[in-house]
Amino acid sequence: MSNALAEAEKIGGERTSEDSGSQRAEIFERPKGWRRIYYHPVLQVSLLGLVCFMCPGMFNALSGLGGGGQVKSTDQANASSALYATFAFFGFFSGTINNVLGPRLTLMLGTWGYSLYIASFLAVNIKPDAGDFVVVSGAVLGVCAALLWTAQGSLMMSYPTEAQKGTFIGIFWAIFNLGGVVGSAVALGQNFNSTAGSVGNGTYIGFLILTLIGVFIPLFMANPDKIIRTDGTRVVQVRHPSWKTEFLSLFIALKTDPWIVLLFPMFFASNYFYTWQFNDYNGAIFTIRARGLNNFVYWTSQIFGSLFIGYFILDRNQVRRRVRAFVGWTLVFAMVFVVHIWAYFYQRTYTRETVSPATDIDIFAKSYPAHVWLMIFYGLLDSMWQTFAYWLMGAMSNDLAKLAVFTGFYKSIQSCGAAGVWRADGVELPYMNIFISTWVLTAAGMLFAFPMVYFRVKDHTEDEDEGLSQAPKE
């Protein structure tokens, strides 16, 4: 951690033209002694990552097993549809709640839903006819996830300087996805000697304990208004005093920066692809221990993917920001076609009617190595996609109010796409249909984003890009 802090100090101390606007903002002296470490933006983003390590990370580990670790995936698919439907709706209002309660309390409230959701799968393992509990828990988690991810997005994009945004996103994404790695390792270890189609109670209990630990981590985080960035500028927590002002912010953000609309297809697809990856590939054709190993390598590859594109590509300050944007777009677009062409040759070999536990691929099968490499590349694509999306939003503005609105757009539209495809899986739409729709939407998302990258991303953020601060105050 000390090396990371020193590196962040070095980046911030260079006073590049892509800092957080220190040439226009008042410069403060950073704290001394232990406070210098505690209030350092890198440490606070790391603690934020640890919250998501424990809660969304365990959720990801469970989802990655396919069907929530169950033989029959219908309950989990319907629960996911309910989750993302409530997420999409409440994500629209969660920015106001975050601004009123503060990010620490908002984070804590958001974490509780993950514990409830995992507990519901434990209940199903004990009482198989408790599927309705899973669906209700999914709906509750959607409300909680809206709170957690709104607080997370506002903090993650406000702590770094402009020159550090890709790196900070990469740091957060790496720690967050370690949760999926650890959770997958727990599931793999506990079910390694099993060739059954579902996980045991011990796996769910382990996940439940970790999510409960995550509930209390926000208590140890600092308030954002006490954080001074590495270039000496202070992080100011944005507050909207009323619902009216919050609604005005949405419209003003669209009016002052209509280019954001071109990112909406990319937002829509950003969680859409999980359904085929987790339920219709990993959950459909592998034994439980193979699913656990696939899950483990998937989340591990995410760590490398986010750090690679965030630090080595998007924050490479020796290269103009516009050039970095084009390189990032090209890498992600190429990955979309690499993984989907590869996956197509597997998907055409099975359907919902032909899959069964008797035909599941185990880790010792000859065909397993090629199949697990596809999961690795899917993990790389996911992390590169999400990191690039956040970086594009951060490149459009340094205005915290505008960034909060952009994050709200991102999570709400993302959840709309996820709700639809999980429902399609719940009603057992053919695997191939879901796969083709995933491929088309991801490719379209990148194509729609290209004009925004070409016309909107500049080498430096200008004053006129910070238009949301002009919103009427009450």
Side-chain angles (χ1 to χ4, degrees):
M1 177 62 72
S2 59
N3 291 337
L5 297 181
E7 179 66 19
E9 294 281 9
K10 179 181 177 182
I11 295 174
E14 290 175 353
R15 292 294 193 275
T16 69
S17 59
E18 293 189 69
D19 64 10
S20 61
S22 60
Q23 66 270 26
R24 304 188 302 270
E26 183 179 358
I27 303 300
F28 296 86
E29 183 179 358
R30 300 202 63 251
K32 304 295 184 182
W34 67 269
R35 290 183 178 84
R36 186 178 187 85
I37 298 175
Y38 176 68
Y39 289 112
H40 199 287
V42 169
L43 179 62
Q44 293 301 314
V45 166
S46 298
L47 288 174
L48 181 64
L50 195 58
V51 174
C52 293
F53 172 106
M54 295 294 182
C55 295
M58 295 304 107
F59 170 84
N60 285 345
L62 190 65
S63 298
L65 289 172
Q70 298 292 310
V71 174
K72 186 173 177 58
S73 63
T74 304
D75 289 337
Q76 186 266 343
N78 289 330
S80 295
S81 180
L83 188 164
Y84 288 110
T86 54
F87 193 162
F89 178 79
F90 285 95
F92 192 76
F93 307 101
S94 56
T96 297
I97 298 172
N98 177 69
N99 292 332
V100 172
L101 299 181
R104 289 197 303 171
L105 181 56
T106 304
L107 276 174
M108 181 175 289
L109 291 174
T111 55
W112 283 106
Y114 292 91
S115 300
L116 176 66
Y117 183 75
I118 290 174
S120 71
F121 281 94
L122 177 60
V124 168
N125 246 24
I126 298 171
K127 190 174 177 59
D129 60 354
D132 290 343
F133 180 33
V134 177
V135 177
V136 172
S137 298
V140 173
L141 176 56
V143 179
C144 294
L147 298 176
L148 183 144
W149 285 108
T150 297
Q152 176 272 336
S154 64
L155 291 174
M156 182 182 69
M157 290 195 289
S158 63
Y159 283 161
T161 67
E162 191 171 306
Q164 298 171 332
K165 288 183 179 180
T167 301
F168 272 54
I169 295 170
I171 290 172
F172 167 82
W173 211 256
I175 297 173
F176 157 48
N177 282 307
L178 274 174
V181 172
V182 172
S184 302
V186 170
L188 177 62
Q190 292 188 344
N191 299 280
F192 186 80
N193 293 320
S194 171
T195 57
S198 62
V199 301
N201 291 346
T203 301
Y204 293 121
I205 292 172
F207 285 3
L208 180 59
I209 292 172
L210 290 173
T211 58
L212 289 172
I213 293 173
V215 170
F216 298 99
I217 295 176
L219 294 173
F220 300 95
M221 296 176 64
N223 287 323
D225 56 3
K226 295 183 179 179
I227 304 300
I228 298 176
R229 300 186 184 94
T230 57
D231 65 352
T233 55
R234 186 181 292 278
V235 174
V236 179
Q237 184 178 348
V238 178
R239 293 180 181 271
H240 302 307
S242 71
W243 291 103
K244 179 180 178 181
T245 305
E246 187 76 11
F247 281 117
L248 285 173
S249 296
L250 297 174
F251 292 110
I252 292 173
L254 287 172
K255 181 179 179 180
T256 59
D257 220 330
W259 289 104
I260 189 69
V261 174
L262 290 177
L263 293 184
F264 285 2
M266 187 180 183
F267 295 169
F268 188 86
S270 60
N271 270 12
Y272 193 97
F273 42 62
Y274 288 147
T275 302
W276 187 85
Q277 292 172 19
F278 294 153
N279 271 23
D280 303 343
Y281 179 68
N282 195 32
I285 61 174
F286 295 94
T287 62
I288 192 63
R289 65 182 175 189
R291 285 152 64 180
L293 183 55
N294 292 347
N295 209 15
F296 177 81
V297 299
Y298 178 91
W299 297 113
T300 301
S301 66
Q302 290 234 6
I303 297 172
F304 295 99
S306 59
L307 290 176
F308 168 72
I309 194 170
Y311 182 77
F312 292 103
I313 303 297
L314 300 178
D315 271 4
R316 198 167 189 82
N317 293 328
Q318 297 90 337
V319 181
R320 293 169 50 206
R321 185 163 71 175
R322 279 181 56 80
V323 174
R324 285 178 267 147
F326 287 123
V327 172
W329 184 91
T330 302
L331 284 174
V332 176
F333 187 68
M335 282 291 290
V336 166
F337 280 88
V338 167
V339 299
H340 286 95
I341 291 173
W342 187 350
Y344 171 75
F345 287 98
Y346 293 149
Q347 176 56 89
R348 68 179 185 173
T349 64
Y350 65 93
T351 66
R352 287 190 187 273
E353 291 71 32
T354 62
V355 296
S356 70
T359 60
D360 284 349
I361 301 172
D362 194 33
I363 58 176
F364 299 113
K366 290 183 179 179
S367 61
Y368 179 72
H371 283 76
V372 74
W373 271 104
L374 177 60
M375 287 296 293
I376 293 173
F377 273 77
Y378 260 121
L380 292 172
L381 170 62
D382 182 22
S383 59
M384 292 168 66
W385 183 288
Q386 310 292 350
T387 302
F388 187 56
Y390 273 115
W391 185 86
L392 283 178
M393 290 185 284
M396 294 175 73
S397 176
N398 291 320
D399 180 357
L400 302 187
K402 183 181 283 189
L403 290 175
V405 172
F406 286 174
T407 303
F409 286 150
Y410 180 47
K411 303 308 292 187
S412 293
I413 295 169
Q414 175 187 76
S415 299
C416 288
V421 70
W422 280 114
R423 182 56 185 160
D425 196 56
V427 299
E428 300 186 347
L429 206 68
Y431 288 150
M432 183 61 80
N433 292 24
I434 293 176
F435 172 76
I436 294 297
S437 67
T438 301
W439 190 352
V440 170
L441 285 171
T442 49
M446 294 305 297
L447 290 174
F448 273 97
F450 184 80
M452 178 270 167
V453 173
Y454 185 84
F455 291 107
R456 179 61 181 83
V457 176
K458 306 173 184 176
D459 287 330
H460 313 293
T461 302
E462 307 295 342
D463 288 342
E464 56 267 25
D465 297 330
E466 318 299 358
L468 197 58
S469 58
Q470 302 167 8
K473 302 294 189 296
E474 294 189 348

